[in-house]
Amino acid sequence: MTPMVEALGIHKSFGATRVLRGVDLVVQPGEVSCVIGPSGSGKSTLLRCINHLERIDSGRLRVDGHLVGYRERNGRLFEMRESEVAHQRRDIGMVFQRFNLFPHKTAIENVMEAPVVVRRQDKAAARTRAVELLDRVGLADRRDNYPAQLSGGQQQRVAIARALAMSPRLMLFDEPTSALDPELVGEVLDVMRGLAREGMTMVVVTHEMGFAREVGDALVFMDEGVIVEHGAPREVLANPQHERTRSFLSKVL
Amino acid sequence: MTVRPDRPEPMNAVPVRHPGRWVAVAVLAVLAAMLVHTIVTNDGFGWPVVGDYLFSPPVLNGLKNTLILTVLSMAIGIVGGVLLAVMRLSPNWILSSVAAVYIWVFRGTPLIAQLLFWNFLSALYPRLSLGIPFGPEFVSFDTNQLINQFAACLLGLGLNEAAYMAEIVRGGIASVEHGQTEAAGALGMSRAQTLRRIVLPQAMRVIIPPTGNETISMLKTSSLVVVIGYFELLTSVQRIYSVNFQTIPLLIVAALWYLALTSILSVGQGFIERRYGRGLQTGPPGPSLLGFLRRSPQEVAP
Ligand SMILES: Nc1ncnc2c1ncn2[C@@H]1O[C@H](COP(=O)(O)OP(=O)(O)O)[C@@H](O)[C@H]1O
Ligand SMILES: [Mg+2]
């Protein structure tokens, strides 16, 4: 079976800051991988490399068997054109910590935007699908609200619906509940739990250990740009093998 | 608002008095009365002459040219400004530097000099031709025919305006959070789609007010075309008063028209601002002469 995500020896620096120092990660289709680790350890950067929002310095990164951002021909790498990168990103959904909804568009317009503009879907069809998606994240009655009129939890659910509208094969979540008031975290995690049940492949950077334990198929602990520990969530959480994992978990649990 | 029985009792406090304000109002009222009195009674204002010329053909002709010059120059300025701003922000340093040099030159030299330059381009290049650089020419034009006075006006005003608009648009684009571009990119939108559908509509909120200023300013700046022998509103009234010596009444004619156009533009700007303010919380509207026209429904409600 082709892995959904296959990262081998990923390195990434910003100037002199070495943020990723040889990351290996494999996510099988249908799997939910949760990534934890201290702030600044490179979790967001890793996610952003997976959909080529950042370009990797070395290593090989494949999504669904295809190199991300490059083509390989006769053993040589060719950088992809911007339009090809955009084409690849259609199949990878991303949810951001700060939602990043389009503030000048209503909830339903946010969800319809990419299908209409990128996939050139017929407007009526896109609307029907957007209504379904908003209904699914529990926001059927908020479709004509602007983001500023929604709570953080509602905005994040619209953002998830917006990503799902492109029918992605892989969803990336970058601390989707970190900007939310505690009482709003649950509604977003519920939606993500539902997605996982339906078999969506997900990479989730999170501090919600309960979610990781219950929903995750794998738990990845990152520190200083490397994956320190990787295993079944219950085992890593109950019985961490590395000192750095132990000290991190003791701080967050 | 009625006080319902279940509401707590109102404060019933004596409000703070502002005697200073009342003194100021009284002084201003007296000054205003004096102003109206002199405007009505001083024959020098020549109100009958103002009435005679307000809708006279030469004035309306000048007005028409002012409008045409303003609309077309602003159109060139806005389109050019967006292009320059996008070039300026491009990761390609050559595009970015070309835009920077353009802005530097066109903002850094007097507009009058630029108007004269375009008008006298034929002295520099008597013929302009289309062809392969350093190779054969396909067509060739007499510069004086290609760039007549009117075209020189548009080039001068429009290309100069583009440099100013470029900085305004650049500021607008920079005001849009980077997360918006990332979210659009992550959805598979191209850079052009992101710019057109996501970034520019949000940048509009920042771009429109200074663009309104630029347009109002262009109404009056367009009078500089007199240096290359073209005419518009102000030139028309000057031509009239240089013959009949009714300087003040004719300047009032021009002023009334400029004020009328400025008022129309301000109202239009209010509508456009509201159009692009959708979904975006804006602070209270800034002080404006015509601010009463753009009060939001909540403020009007009791
Ligand atoms: N665009 C960037 N330019 C420079 N440094 C960056 C950039 N993005 C991230 N970094 C740096 O990379 C490191 C890791 O960042 P990040 O991946 O966001 O960590 P995490 O998500 O685990 O908190 C941090 O030290 C951060 O300052
Ligand atoms: Mg992060």
Side-chain angles (χ1 to χ4, degrees):
Chain A
M1 191 161 56
T2 320
M4 186 56 80
V5 180
E6 185 183 32
L8 297 172
I10 307 301
H11 286 260
K12 171 73 190 171
S13 304
F14 293 108
T17 324
R18 298 183 55 201
V19 179
L20 299 180
R21 315 166 178 227
V23 171
D24 300 315
L25 178 71
V26 174
V27 183
Q28 298 296 345
E31 242 182 30
V32 176
S33 274
C34 293
V35 181
I36 60 171
S39 173
S41 56
K43 308 181 297 291
S44 298
T45 305
L46 176 62
L47 275 196
R48 294 158 55 78
C49 287
I50 294 178
N51 69 358
H52 209 55
L53 283 176
E54 301 291 353
R55 168 212 301 253
I56 60 176
D57 296 337
S58 70
R60 286 287 185 281
L61 183 54
R62 288 190 170 80
V63 169
D64 210 9
H66 300 286
L67 279 179
V68 174
Y70 299 89
R71 253 172 303 118
E72 195 163 23
R73 224 188 285 135
N74 305 328
R76 283 198 58 188
L77 283 187
F78 295 86
E79 226 175 287
M80 279 189 179
R81 273 179 287 129
E82 189 225 319
S83 59
E84 296 172 290
V85 173
H87 200 275
Q88 266 190 336
R89 288 186 183 142
R90 296 175 177 192
D91 298 328
I92 307 174
M94 185 153 193
V95 174
F96 301 85
Q97 183 175 355
R98 306 232 36 110
F99 329 134
N100 297 355
L101 288 181
F102 306 132
H104 59 305
K105 295 182 180 289
T106 60
I108 194 160
E109 288 169 348
N110 265 276
V111 179
M112 289 168 62
E113 178 70 11
V116 170
V117 174
V118 179
R119 290 216 197 269
R120 310 233 172 265
Q121 256 180 33
D122 165 64
K123 263 210 168 129
R127 175 170 287 274
T128 312
R129 172 115 169 91
V131 168
E132 277 170 27
L133 284 166
L134 285 175
D135 193 24
R136 170 171 174 189
V137 299
L139 292 172
D141 55 334
R142 296 310 204 112
R143 60 179 81 130
D144 294 320
N145 285 122
Y146 285 99
Q149 300 165 323
L150 300 173
S151 74
Q154 291 170 334
Q155 288 189 56
Q156 193 61 299
R157 286 185 281 151
V158 174
I160 294 174
R162 176 177 72 174
L164 292 177
M166 291 298 279
S167 311
R169 278 173 291 169
L170 168 67
M171 286 283 286
L172 309 173
F173 292 85
D174 192 359
E175 301 197 27
T177 58
S178 296
L180 299 179
D181 290 335
E183 78 272 20
L184 302 178
V185 169
E187 63 192 48
V188 173
L189 292 182
D190 283 343
V191 170
M192 292 168 61
R193 211 171 274 132
L195 267 182
R197 248 198 316 271
E198 287 163 34
M200 177 63 78
T201 314
M202 299 164 45
V203 181
V204 185
V205 174
T206 186
H207 293 299
E208 297 293 329
M209 299 302 164
F211 177 85
R213 182 184 300 124
E214 180 200 338
V215 180
D217 298 298
L219 185 63
V220 172
F221 172 66
M222 275 185 79
D223 195 13
E224 298 185 352
V226 293
I227 292 182
V228 175
E229 191 155 349
H230 187 180
R234 279 169 207 284
E235 275 165 36
V236 175
L237 290 174
N239 192 10
Q241 299 299 307
H242 291 261
E243 176 48 39
R244 279 196 276 177
T245 319
R246 268 195 289 276
S247 98
F248 174 74
L249 289 177
S250 72
K251 276 179 226 148
V252 297
L253 285 180
Chain B
M1 197 173 71
T2 52
V3 180
R4 281 183 298 169
D6 57 344
R7 288 277 176 87
E9 214 176 299
M11 287 301 288
N12 280 332
V14 178
V16 176
R17 307 285 180 204
H18 299 282
R21 285 187 197 169
W22 291 105
V23 174
V25 167
V27 170
L28 287 174
V30 171
L31 287 176
M34 288 166 67
L35 186 65
V36 170
H37 180 254
T38 171
I39 286 176
V40 171
T41 57
N42 187 333
D43 290 338
F45 283 101
W47 291 107
V49 184
V50 172
D52 288 346
Y53 280 100
L54 196 54
F55 295 100
S56 70
V59 168
L60 291 183
N61 218 3
L63 177 69
K64 187 189 79 188
N65 277 358
T66 292
L67 279 173
I68 292 174
L69 285 175
T70 303
V71 169
L72 293 183
S73 309
M74 282 310 294
I76 296 172
I78 290 170
V79 172
V82 171
L83 286 178
L84 284 165
V86 171
M87 284 170 68
R88 189 79 185 84
L89 292 168
S90 158
N92 180 330
W93 70 269
I94 297 179
L95 288 181
S96 173
S97 321
V98 168
V101 169
Y102 180 102
I103 294 167
W104 178 64
V105 170
F106 280 83
R107 287 202 308 177
T109 56
L111 176 54
I112 293 186
Q114 291 173 31
L115 282 164
L116 290 168
F117 173 84
W118 293 114
N119 197 42
F120 295 118
L121 191 67
S122 62
L124 208 52
Y125 299 102
R127 297 192 72 77
L128 296 177
S129 51
L130 272 178
I132 296 168
F134 309 108
E137 291 175 359
F138 302 136
V139 271
S140 157
F141 304 94
D142 179 3
T143 306
N144 264 332
Q145 272 173 355
L146 192 67
I147 303 183
N148 60 18
Q149 237 174 18
F150 177 67
C153 293
L154 286 187
L155 282 172
L157 295 173
L159 296 185
N160 179 266
E161 185 56 35
Y164 286 91
M165 283 305 303
E167 291 295 277
I168 291 173
V169 173
R170 183 164 75 109
I173 291 176
S175 77
V176 179
E177 260 186 73
H178 186 57
Q180 293 289 307
T181 314
E182 292 212 318
L187 286 165
M189 294 173 75
S190 69
R191 244 205 295 264
Q193 286 169 337
T194 304
L195 185 72
R196 195 162 44 82
R197 310 231 4 135
I198 306 300
V199 176
L200 279 181
Q202 293 182 60
M204 280 303 204
R205 210 166 40 113
V206 174
I207 292 174
I208 290 164
T211 304
N213 273 343
E214 290 292 310
T215 312
I216 288 170
S217 162
M218 181 64 82
L219 278 176
K220 294 158 287 176
T221 308
S222 59
S223 62
L224 286 182
V225 298
V226 67
V227 298
I228 55 176
Y230 204 65
F231 75 101
E232 42 64 77
L233 182 55
L234 193 61
T235 332
S236 302
V237 305
Q238 281 168 339
R239 283 181 190 173
I240 299 171
Y241 71 63
S242 68
V243 176
N244 69 6
F245 303 110
Q246 298 281 354
T247 311
I248 299 279
L250 278 154
L251 286 177
I252 290 176
V253 167
L256 288 176
W257 277 118
Y258 281 122
L259 283 173
L261 295 179
T262 304
S263 312
I264 294 170
L265 281 176
S266 306
V267 174
Q269 182 182 337
F271 281 111
I272 299 175
E273 275 177 21
R274 228 166 320 156
R275 163 81 171 68
Y276 283 101
R278 281 186 319 190
L280 305 163
Q281 295 142 316
T282 43
S288 153
L289 188 59
L290 297 159
F292 61 90
L293 285 169
R294 39 176 119 139
R295 215 177 288 165
S296 64
Q298 299 99 293
E299 285 173 284
V300 177

